[in-house]
Amino acid sequence: MSALDWYLQINLKARHMRLLVTIDTYRNLTQVADVTHVTVPAVSKSLAELERGLGLTLFSRTSQGLVPTPYGDCLIRHARSMLTILHQARDELKALSSGTEGKVRIGMLPASASVLLPQALSLLKQRSPGTNVVVNEGTTASLLPELWQGHLDLVVGRLPPPDTLGSFEEMELLEEPVTLMTGRHHPLARRRTLAWSDLLPYPWILPPPGSILRDPLERALEAHDVPLTNNYIETLSIHVARAQLQISDFIAVMADTPASDSTQPLHTLPLSLPRLLRPAGVLWNRNRGLTPSAQLMVSCLEEAAQRMLTGHGASPRTVPSKTLPIG
């Protein structure tokens, strides 16, 4: 066994990993000492001992502070992953010792999971009241890195296009057509037939740049000579969009399932869009696997999708999961 093997397998401790991550975060020994409540010499000594034990230089001392070397970058990346796993193990052990059954951390793409996820959560709580859930809303760009790093167990919403790096497991759950929506009072809502040019005078509620829907939507509208004007609101919030449609003459693009709500009815314009997006579904990191609680959540998502009314424009999908390349 080499000295490096021996140190990694026998002597590397969780405190070393926390030290690496903290130094990488602050890049300054004084700040590291402040947040870890030790002295600067103690931090410097711990880092020197770690580098000596590994036989590698992990940080370069520069005028801008401590900068990770390639060895440091490698070890820091794995240290973050290992600390995440330790935190998850701690949470599961605490849950078991307190009588609860676990915790599931879910990232939600709000515009496409606002109906599916609440129904699945209701099923989860019926089956396992002691399984707790943390839900964070966000965009694909913000949630997928969290899923990759292990900070999330699942991401639920519109499945992203398979055109970037990495590997996640996906399961398609629900096919939701994308439609043009207005409030019931909108001038266009009173007309049985429409031309695309009839949309030109009205403002829009749009998904923000970088979201899954924005680029294909712009291309579809441009194909019908309906350029997006400077009069628009950008949001991923289905609640903001619905409320705005109720009180104004805006036009929004929505999946038909969340748009079909009897408490705040909207009008679907009789203009057909092409299939702009993939189905709604669930993603997880296949390299990390799923905890029992996350497996139960996936099962509840499948059942909720099956229960969704096809009359709302959503078609349940029962397809086998497959590996999807995503960064």
Side-chain angles (χ1 to χ4, degrees):
M1 181 183 294
S2 69
L4 177 61
D5 288 333
W6 178 85
Y7 196 87
L8 287 174
Q9 296 182 36
I10 305 298
N11 209 38
L12 187 66
K13 305 293 193 299
R15 62 181 177 84
H16 294 134
M17 294 184 284
R18 287 192 291 269
L19 175 66
L20 285 173
V21 170
T22 306
I23 294 175
D24 183 53
T25 300
Y26 293 98
R27 305 290 177 94
N28 181 284
L29 290 184
T30 300
Q31 289 181 281
V32 172
D34 287 342
V35 299
T36 56
H37 307 291
V38 297
T39 64
V40 172
V43 173
S44 183
K45 180 181 178 182
S46 296
L47 177 59
E49 289 176 350
L50 178 59
E51 291 182 320
R52 185 166 56 252
L54 293 169
L56 300 170
T57 300
L58 302 177
F59 292 90
S60 298
R61 281 70 171 172
T62 72
S63 58
Q64 285 75 40
L66 296 174
V67 178
T69 65
Y71 302 117
D73 279 329
C74 175
L75 194 54
I76 290 163
R77 184 175 69 254
H78 289 292
R80 290 186 186 277
S81 297
M82 288 186 284
L83 288 174
T84 296
I85 293 171
L86 287 175
H87 293 158
Q88 291 172 341
R90 176 202 61 194
D91 290 346
E92 287 188 42
L93 290 171
K94 283 184 176 180
L96 290 170
S97 65
S98 64
T100 59
E101 297 173 34
K103 179 182 288 187
V104 187
R105 298 171 178 82
I106 300 175
M108 181 181 108
L109 301 168
S112 55
S114 58
V115 176
L116 174 63
L117 184 57
Q119 292 193 21
L121 292 175
S122 295
L123 290 173
L124 177 73
K125 282 301 183 178
Q126 291 170 20
R127 295 181 181 179
S128 179
T131 298
N132 297 314
V133 183
V134 177
V135 179
N136 295 317
E137 292 189 9
T139 64
T140 303
S142 65
L143 294 179
L144 291 190
E146 293 291 299
L147 181 62
W148 180 255
Q149 293 167 18
H151 302 309
L152 295 173
D153 299 304
L154 304 169
V155 169
V156 179
R158 190 73 64 170
L159 294 173
D163 60 357
T164 51
L165 301 176
S167 291
F168 291 124
E169 196 83 2
E170 70 166 16
M171 180 180 291
E172 296 181 358
L173 295 173
L174 203 64
E175 188 77 64
E176 297 174 306
V178 175
T179 54
L180 299 174
M181 310 298 298
T182 68
R184 291 292 183 92
H185 64 278
H186 197 285
L188 297 181
R190 295 188 287 270
R191 298 174 55 175
R192 293 188 177 182
T193 60
L194 287 177
W196 286 94
S197 58
D198 294 327
L199 307 181
L200 292 173
Y202 298 101
W204 288 83
I205 299 174
L206 301 172
S211 57
I212 295 175
L213 180 56
R214 182 60 177 263
D215 286 345
L217 171 62
E218 288 191 12
R219 290 194 296 269
L221 293 177
E222 287 173 359
H224 292 286
D225 295 321
V226 183
L228 294 177
T229 67
N230 290 326
N231 189 0
Y232 57 80
I233 295 171
E234 293 177 337
T235 182
L236 283 175
S237 170
I238 192 72
H239 306 293
V240 171
R242 294 186 62 86
Q244 190 64 36
L245 292 179
Q246 297 292 335
I247 62 172
S248 69
D249 288 343
F250 276 75
I251 300 172
V253 182
M254 292 182 172
D256 198 40
T257 300
S260 302
D261 184 341
S262 59
T263 60
Q264 285 185 308
L266 299 175
H267 177 75
T268 302
L269 296 180
L271 294 170
S272 296
L273 288 167
R275 188 186 186 213
L276 300 179
L277 299 172
R278 301 186 66 219
V282 57
L283 289 166
W284 63 90
N285 188 334
R286 67 184 176 93
N287 296 320
R288 296 181 181 278
L290 292 174
T291 65
S293 297
Q295 291 174 5
L296 179 59
M297 186 70 230
V298 171
S299 175
C300 291
L301 284 163
E302 286 187 271
E303 184 173 337
Q306 290 294 331
R307 293 185 178 188
M308 301 283 280
L309 296 177
T310 56
H312 283 174
S315 302
R317 305 196 35 127
T318 52
V319 298
S321 61
K322 59 185 178 181
T323 300
L324 171 68
I326 300 174

Coordinates of all heavy atoms in Angstrom, one line a residue, residues 116-185:
L116 N -49.1 18.0 -10.5 CA -48.7 16.6 -10.3 C -48.1 16.4 -8.9 O -48.4 15.5 -8.2 CB -47.7 16.2 -11.4 CG -47.0 14.9 -11.3 CD1 -48.0 13.8 -11.3 CD2 -45.9 14.7 -12.3
L117 N -47.2 17.3 -8.5 CA -46.5 17.1 -7.3 C -47.4 17.2 -6.1 O -47.3 16.3 -5.2 CB -45.3 18.1 -7.2 CG -44.4 17.9 -5.9 CD1 -43.8 16.5 -5.9 CD2 -43.3 19.0 -5.9
P118 N -48.3 18.2 -5.9 CA -49.2 18.1 -4.8 C -50.0 16.9 -4.6 O -50.2 16.4 -3.5 CB -50.0 19.4 -5.0 CG -49.2 20.3 -5.8 CD -48.4 19.4 -6.7
Q119 N -50.5 16.3 -5.8 CA -51.2 15.1 -5.7 C -50.4 14.0 -5.2 O -50.8 13.1 -4.4 CB -51.8 14.8 -7.0 CG -52.9 15.8 -7.5 CD -53.7 15.3 -8.6 OE1 -53.8 14.1 -8.9 NE2 -54.4 16.2 -9.3
A120 N -49.1 13.9 -5.7 CA -48.2 12.8 -5.3 C -47.9 13.0 -3.8 O -47.7 12.0 -3.1 CB -46.9 12.9 -6.1
L121 N -47.7 14.2 -3.3 CA -47.4 14.4 -1.9 C -48.6 14.0 -1.0 O -48.3 13.4 0.1 CB -47.1 15.9 -1.6 CG -45.8 16.4 -2.2 CD1 -45.6 17.9 -2.0 CD2 -44.6 15.7 -1.7
S122 N -49.8 14.2 -1.5 CA -50.9 13.7 -0.7 C -50.9 12.2 -0.6 O -51.2 11.7 0.5 CB -52.2 14.2 -1.4 OG -52.4 15.6 -1.3
L123 N -50.6 11.5 -1.7 CA -50.5 10.1 -1.6 C -49.4 9.6 -0.7 O -49.5 8.7 0.1 CB -50.2 9.5 -3.0 CG -51.4 9.6 -4.0 CD1 -50.9 9.2 -5.4 CD2 -52.6 8.8 -3.6
L124 N -48.3 10.3 -0.7 CA -47.1 10.0 0.1 C -47.5 10.1 1.6 O -47.2 9.2 2.4 CB -45.9 10.9 -0.2 CG -44.7 10.7 0.7 CD1 -44.0 9.4 0.3 CD2 -43.8 11.9 0.6
K125 N -48.2 11.1 2.0 CA -48.6 11.3 3.4 C -49.7 10.3 3.8 O -49.7 10.0 5.0 CB -49.0 12.8 3.6 CG -47.9 13.8 3.7 CD -47.0 13.4 4.8 CE -45.8 14.4 5.0 NZ -45.0 14.0 6.2
Q126 N -50.5 9.9 2.9 CA -51.5 8.9 3.2 C -50.8 7.5 3.5 O -51.1 6.8 4.4 CB -52.4 8.7 2.1 CG -53.4 9.8 1.8 CD -54.2 9.7 0.5 OE1 -54.3 8.6 0.0 NE2 -54.7 10.8 0.1
R127 N -49.7 7.2 2.7 CA -49.1 6.0 2.9 C -48.0 6.0 4.0 O -47.8 5.0 4.6 CB -48.3 5.6 1.6 CG -49.3 5.4 0.4 CD -48.5 5.0 -0.9 NE -49.3 4.8 -2.0 CZ -48.9 4.5 -3.2 NH1 -47.6 4.4 -3.4 NH2 -49.7 4.3 -4.2
S128 N -47.4 7.1 4.2 CA -46.3 7.2 5.1 C -46.2 8.5 5.8 O -45.4 9.4 5.4 CB -44.9 6.9 4.4 OG -43.8 6.9 5.3
P129 N -47.1 8.8 6.8 CA -47.1 10.1 7.4 C -45.8 10.5 8.0 O -45.5 11.7 8.1 CB -48.2 9.9 8.5 CG -49.0 8.8 8.1 CD -48.1 7.9 7.3
G130 N -44.9 9.6 8.4 CA -43.6 9.9 9.0 C -42.6 10.3 8.0 O -41.4 10.6 8.4
T131 N -42.8 10.2 6.7 CA -41.9 10.6 5.7 C -42.0 12.1 5.4 O -43.1 12.5 4.9 CB -42.0 9.8 4.4 OG1 -41.8 8.4 4.6 CG2 -41.0 10.2 3.3
N132 N -41.0 12.8 5.6 CA -41.1 14.3 5.5 C -40.4 14.7 4.1 O -39.6 14.0 3.6 CB -40.5 15.0 6.6 CG -41.2 14.7 7.9 OD1 -42.4 14.8 8.0 ND2 -40.5 14.3 9.0
V133 N -40.9 15.9 3.7 CA -40.4 16.3 2.3 C -40.0 17.8 2.4 O -40.6 18.6 3.1 CB -41.6 16.2 1.3 CG1 -41.1 16.6 -0.1 CG2 -42.2 14.8 1.3
V134 N -38.9 18.1 1.7 CA -38.5 19.4 1.5 C -38.6 19.7 0.0 O -38.1 18.9 -0.8 CB -37.0 19.6 1.9 CG1 -36.6 21.1 1.6 CG2 -36.8 19.3 3.4
V135 N -39.3 20.8 -0.4 CA -39.5 21.1 -1.8 C -38.9 22.5 -2.1 O -39.2 23.4 -1.4 CB -41.0 21.1 -2.2 CG1 -41.2 21.5 -3.6 CG2 -41.7 19.8 -1.9
N136 N -38.0 22.5 -3.1 CA -37.4 23.8 -3.5 C -37.8 24.0 -5.0 O -37.6 23.1 -5.8 CB -35.9 23.7 -3.4 CG -35.4 23.6 -2.0 OD1 -36.0 24.2 -1.1 ND2 -34.5 22.7 -1.7
E137 N -38.4 25.2 -5.2 CA -38.7 25.6 -6.6 C -37.4 26.1 -7.3 O -36.6 26.8 -6.6 CB -39.8 26.6 -6.7 CG -41.2 26.0 -6.2 CD -42.3 27.0 -6.5 OE1 -42.0 28.0 -7.2 OE2 -43.4 26.7 -6.1
G138 N -37.4 26.0 -8.6 CA -36.2 26.5 -9.3 C -36.3 26.2 -10.8 O -37.3 25.6 -11.3
T139 N -35.3 26.7 -11.5 CA -35.2 26.4 -12.9 C -34.4 25.1 -13.1 O -33.7 24.6 -12.2 CB -34.5 27.5 -13.7 OG1 -33.2 27.7 -13.2 CG2 -35.2 28.8 -13.4
T140 N -34.4 24.6 -14.3 CA -33.6 23.4 -14.6 C -32.1 23.7 -14.4 O -31.3 22.9 -13.8 CB -33.7 23.0 -16.1 OG1 -35.1 22.8 -16.4 CG2 -32.9 21.8 -16.5
A141 N -31.7 24.9 -14.8 CA -30.2 25.3 -14.6 C -29.8 25.3 -13.1 O -28.7 25.1 -12.8 CB -30.0 26.7 -15.3
S142 N -30.7 25.7 -12.2 CA -30.4 25.7 -10.8 C -30.6 24.4 -10.1 O -29.8 24.1 -9.2 CB -31.2 26.8 -10.1 OG -32.6 26.5 -10.1
L143 N -31.5 23.6 -10.5 CA -31.9 22.4 -9.8 C -31.0 21.2 -10.2 O -30.6 20.4 -9.3 CB -33.3 22.0 -10.0 CG -34.3 23.0 -9.4 CD1 -35.8 22.5 -9.7 CD2 -34.2 23.2 -7.9
L144 N -30.6 21.1 -11.5 CA -29.9 19.9 -11.9 C -28.5 19.8 -11.2 O -28.0 18.7 -10.8 CB -29.7 19.8 -13.4 CG -31.1 19.5 -14.1 CD1 -30.8 19.3 -15.6 CD2 -31.8 18.4 -13.5
P145 N -27.7 20.9 -11.1 CA -26.5 20.8 -10.3 C -26.7 20.4 -8.9 O -25.9 19.6 -8.3 CB -25.9 22.3 -10.4 CG -26.5 22.8 -11.6 CD -27.9 22.3 -11.7
E146 N -27.8 20.8 -8.3 CA -28.1 20.4 -6.9 C -28.4 18.9 -6.9 O -28.0 18.2 -5.9 CB -29.3 21.1 -6.4 CG -29.1 22.6 -6.2 CD -28.1 22.9 -5.0 OE1 -28.4 22.5 -3.9 OE2 -27.0 23.5 -5.3
L147 N -29.1 18.4 -7.9 CA -29.4 17.0 -8.0 C -28.1 16.2 -8.2 O -27.8 15.1 -7.6 CB -30.3 16.7 -9.1 CG -30.8 15.2 -9.3 CD1 -31.5 14.7 -8.1 CD2 -31.6 15.1 -10.6
W148 N -27.2 16.7 -9.0 CA -25.9 16.0 -9.3 C -25.0 15.9 -8.1 O -24.4 14.9 -7.8 CB -25.2 16.7 -10.4 CG -23.9 16.1 -10.8 CD1 -22.7 16.6 -10.5 CD2 -23.7 14.9 -11.5 NE1 -21.7 15.7 -11.0 CE2 -22.3 14.7 -11.6 CE3 -24.6 14.0 -12.1 CZ2 -21.8 13.6 -12.3 CZ3 -24.1 12.9 -12.7 CH2 -22.7 12.7 -12.8
Q149 N -25.0 17.0 -7.3 CA -24.2 17.1 -6.1 C -24.8 16.3 -4.9 O -24.1 16.1 -3.9 CB -23.9 18.5 -5.7 CG -23.1 19.3 -6.7 CD -23.1 20.8 -6.5 OE1 -23.5 21.3 -5.4 NE2 -22.8 21.6 -7.5
G150 N -26.0 15.9 -5.0 CA -26.6 15.1 -3.9 C -27.4 15.9 -2.9 O -27.9 15.4 -1.9
H151 N -27.6 17.2 -3.2 CA -28.4 18.1 -2.3 C -29.9 17.9 -2.5 O -30.7 18.2 -1.7 CB -28.0 19.6 -2.5 CG -26.6 19.9 -2.3 ND1 -25.9 19.5 -1.2 CD2 -25.6 20.5 -3.1 CE1 -24.6 19.9 -1.3 NE2 -24.4 20.5 -2.4
L152 N -30.2 17.3 -3.6 CA -31.6 16.9 -3.9 C -31.7 15.4 -4.2 O -30.7 14.9 -4.8 CB -32.2 17.7 -5.1 CG -32.3 19.2 -5.0 CD1 -32.7 19.8 -6.3 CD2 -33.3 19.6 -3.9
D153 N -32.8 14.8 -3.9 CA -33.0 13.4 -4.2 C -33.7 13.2 -5.6 O -33.4 12.3 -6.3 CB -33.9 12.7 -3.2 CG -33.2 12.7 -1.8 OD1 -32.1 12.2 -1.7 OD2 -33.8 13.2 -0.8
L154 N -34.6 14.2 -5.9 CA -35.4 14.1 -7.1 C -35.6 15.5 -7.7 O -35.6 16.5 -6.9 CB -36.8 13.5 -6.8 CG -36.9 12.1 -6.1 CD1 -38.3 11.8 -5.7 CD2 -36.3 11.0 -7.1
V155 N -35.8 15.6 -9.0 CA -36.3 16.8 -9.6 C -37.6 16.4 -10.4 O -37.5 15.4 -11.2 CB -35.3 17.4 -10.5 CG1 -35.9 18.5 -11.4 CG2 -34.1 18.0 -9.7
V156 N -38.7 17.1 -10.1 CA -39.9 16.8 -10.7 C -40.4 18.0 -11.6 O -40.3 19.1 -11.2 CB -41.0 16.6 -9.7 CG1 -42.4 16.3 -10.3 CG2 -40.6 15.4 -8.7
G157 N -40.8 17.7 -12.8 CA -41.3 18.7 -13.7 C -41.0 18.3 -15.2 O -40.8 17.1 -15.5
R158 N -41.1 19.3 -16.0 CA -40.9 19.0 -17.5 C -39.5 18.5 -17.7 O -38.5 19.1 -17.3 CB -41.1 20.3 -18.2 CG -41.1 20.1 -19.7 CD -42.4 19.5 -20.2 NE -43.5 20.3 -19.9 CZ -44.7 20.1 -20.4 NH1 -44.9 19.0 -21.2 NH2 -45.7 20.9 -20.1
L159 N -39.3 17.3 -18.3 CA -38.0 16.7 -18.6 C -37.2 17.6 -19.5 O -37.7 18.0 -20.6 CB -38.2 15.3 -19.1 CG -38.8 14.3 -18.1 CD1 -39.1 13.0 -18.8 CD2 -38.0 14.1 -16.9
P160 N -36.0 17.8 -19.2 CA -35.1 18.6 -20.1 C -34.7 17.9 -21.3 O -34.7 16.6 -21.4 CB -33.9 19.0 -19.2 CG -33.9 17.9 -18.2 CD -35.3 17.4 -18.0
P161 N -34.2 18.6 -22.4 CA -33.8 17.9 -23.6 C -32.5 17.1 -23.3 O -31.6 17.6 -22.5 CB -33.5 19.1 -24.6 CG -33.3 20.3 -23.7 CD -34.2 20.0 -22.5
P162 N -32.3 16.0 -23.9 CA -31.1 15.2 -23.7 C -29.9 15.6 -24.5 O -29.4 14.9 -25.3 CB -31.6 13.8 -24.1 CG -32.6 14.0 -25.2 CD -33.3 15.3 -24.8
D163 N -29.4 16.8 -24.2 CA -28.4 17.3 -25.1 C -27.2 17.9 -24.3 O -26.4 18.7 -24.8 CB -28.9 18.4 -26.0 CG -29.5 19.6 -25.3 OD1 -29.6 19.5 -24.0 OD2 -30.0 20.5 -25.9
T164 N -27.0 17.5 -23.0 CA -25.9 18.0 -22.3 C -25.2 16.8 -21.6 O -25.5 15.7 -21.8 CB -26.3 19.0 -21.2 OG1 -27.4 18.5 -20.4 CG2 -26.8 20.3 -21.9
L165 N -24.2 17.1 -20.8 CA -23.3 16.0 -20.3 C -23.8 15.5 -19.0 O -24.7 16.0 -18.3 CB -21.9 16.6 -20.1 CG -21.2 17.2 -21.3 CD1 -19.9 17.8 -21.0 CD2 -21.0 16.1 -22.4
G166 N -23.2 14.3 -18.6 CA -23.6 13.7 -17.3 C -24.6 12.6 -17.5 O -25.0 12.2 -18.6
S167 N -25.1 12.0 -16.4 CA -26.1 10.9 -16.5 C -27.0 11.0 -15.3 O -26.6 10.9 -14.2 CB -25.4 9.6 -16.5 OG -24.6 9.4 -17.7
F168 N -28.3 11.1 -15.7 CA -29.4 11.0 -14.7 C -30.3 9.9 -15.2 O -30.3 9.6 -16.4 CB -30.2 12.3 -14.6 CG -29.4 13.4 -13.9 CD1 -29.3 14.6 -14.6 CD2 -28.9 13.3 -12.7 CE1 -28.6 15.7 -14.0 CE2 -28.2 14.3 -12.1 CZ -28.0 15.5 -12.7
E169 N -31.0 9.4 -14.2 CA -32.1 8.4 -14.6 C -33.4 9.3 -14.7 O -33.6 10.2 -13.9 CB -32.3 7.4 -13.5 CG -33.1 6.2 -14.0 CD -32.2 5.2 -14.7 OE1 -31.0 5.4 -14.9 OE2 -32.8 4.2 -15.2
E170 N -34.2 9.0 -15.7 CA -35.5 9.7 -15.8 C -36.7 8.7 -15.9 O -36.5 7.6 -16.3 CB -35.5 10.6 -17.1 CG -35.5 9.8 -18.4 CD -35.9 10.7 -19.6 OE1 -35.8 11.9 -19.5 OE2 -36.2 10.1 -20.6
M171 N -37.8 9.2 -15.5 CA -39.1 8.5 -15.7 C -40.1 9.4 -16.2 O -40.4 10.5 -15.6 CB -39.5 7.8 -14.4 CG -40.8 7.1 -14.6 SD -41.4 6.3 -13.0 CE -40.1 5.1 -12.8
E172 N -40.6 9.2 -17.4 CA -41.7 10.0 -18.0 C -43.0 9.7 -17.2 O -43.3 8.5 -17.0 CB -41.9 9.7 -19.5 CG -40.6 10.1 -20.3 CD -40.8 9.9 -21.8 OE1 -41.9 9.4 -22.2 OE2 -39.9 10.2 -22.5
L173 N -43.8 10.7 -16.9 CA -45.0 10.5 -16.1 C -46.2 11.0 -16.8 O -47.3 10.4 -16.7 CB -44.8 11.2 -14.7 CG -43.7 10.7 -13.8 CD1 -43.6 11.6 -12.6 CD2 -44.1 9.2 -13.4
L174 N -46.1 12.2 -17.4 CA -47.4 12.9 -17.8 C -47.1 13.7 -19.1 O -46.2 14.5 -19.1 CB -47.8 13.8 -16.7 CG -49.3 14.2 -16.6 CD1 -50.2 12.9 -16.4 CD2 -49.5 15.2 -15.5
E175 N -47.9 13.5 -20.1 CA -47.9 14.3 -21.3 C -48.8 15.4 -21.2 O -50.0 15.2 -21.1 CB -48.2 13.4 -22.5 CG -48.0 14.1 -23.8 CD -46.5 14.1 -24.2 OE1 -45.9 13.0 -24.4 OE2 -45.9 15.2 -24.3
E176 N -48.3 16.6 -21.1 CA -49.2 17.8 -21.0 C -49.0 18.7 -22.2 O -48.0 19.3 -22.4 CB -48.8 18.6 -19.7 CG -49.0 17.8 -18.4 CD -48.5 18.6 -17.2 OE1 -47.4 19.0 -17.3 OE2 -49.3 18.8 -16.3
P177 N -50.1 18.9 -23.0 CA -49.9 19.8 -24.2 C -49.7 21.3 -23.7 O -50.3 21.7 -22.6 CB -51.2 19.7 -24.9 CG -52.2 19.1 -23.9 CD -51.4 18.3 -23.0
V178 N -49.0 22.0 -24.4 CA -48.7 23.4 -24.1 C -49.7 24.2 -25.0 O -49.8 24.0 -26.2 CB -47.3 23.8 -24.4 CG1 -47.1 25.3 -24.2 CG2 -46.3 23.0 -23.5
T179 N -50.4 25.1 -24.3 CA -51.5 25.9 -25.0 C -51.4 27.4 -24.7 O -50.7 27.8 -23.7 CB -52.9 25.4 -24.6 OG1 -53.0 25.5 -23.2 CG2 -53.1 24.0 -25.0
L180 N -52.0 28.2 -25.5 CA -52.1 29.6 -25.3 C -53.3 29.9 -24.4 O -54.4 29.5 -24.8 CB -52.2 30.4 -26.6 CG -51.0 30.2 -27.6 CD1 -51.3 30.9 -28.9 CD2 -49.7 30.8 -27.0
M181 N -53.1 30.6 -23.3 CA -54.2 30.9 -22.3 C -54.4 32.4 -22.1 O -53.5 33.2 -22.2 CB -53.8 30.2 -21.0 CG -53.4 28.8 -21.1 SD -54.6 27.6 -21.7 CE -55.9 27.9 -20.5
T182 N -55.7 32.7 -21.9 CA -56.0 34.1 -21.5 C -57.0 34.0 -20.3 O -57.5 32.9 -20.0 CB -56.7 34.9 -22.6 OG1 -57.9 34.3 -22.9 CG2 -55.8 34.9 -23.8
G183 N -57.4 35.1 -19.7 CA -58.5 35.1 -18.8 C -59.8 35.0 -19.6 O -59.9 35.2 -20.8
R184 N -60.9 34.7 -18.9 CA -62.2 34.5 -19.5 C -62.7 35.8 -20.1 O -63.5 35.8 -21.0 CB -63.2 33.9 -18.5 CG -62.9 32.5 -18.1 CD -63.1 31.5 -19.3 NE -62.9 30.1 -18.9 CZ -63.9 29.3 -18.5 NH1 -65.1 29.8 -18.4 NH2 -63.6 28.1 -18.2
H185 N -62.2 36.9 -19.5 CA -62.7 38.3 -19.9 C -62.0 38.8 -21.2 O -62.3 39.9 -21.7 CB -62.5 39.2 -18.8 CG -61.1 39.4 -18.5 ND1 -60.4 38.6 -17.7 CD2 -60.2 40.4 -18.9 CE1 -59.1 39.0 -17.7 NE2 -59.0 40.1 -18.4

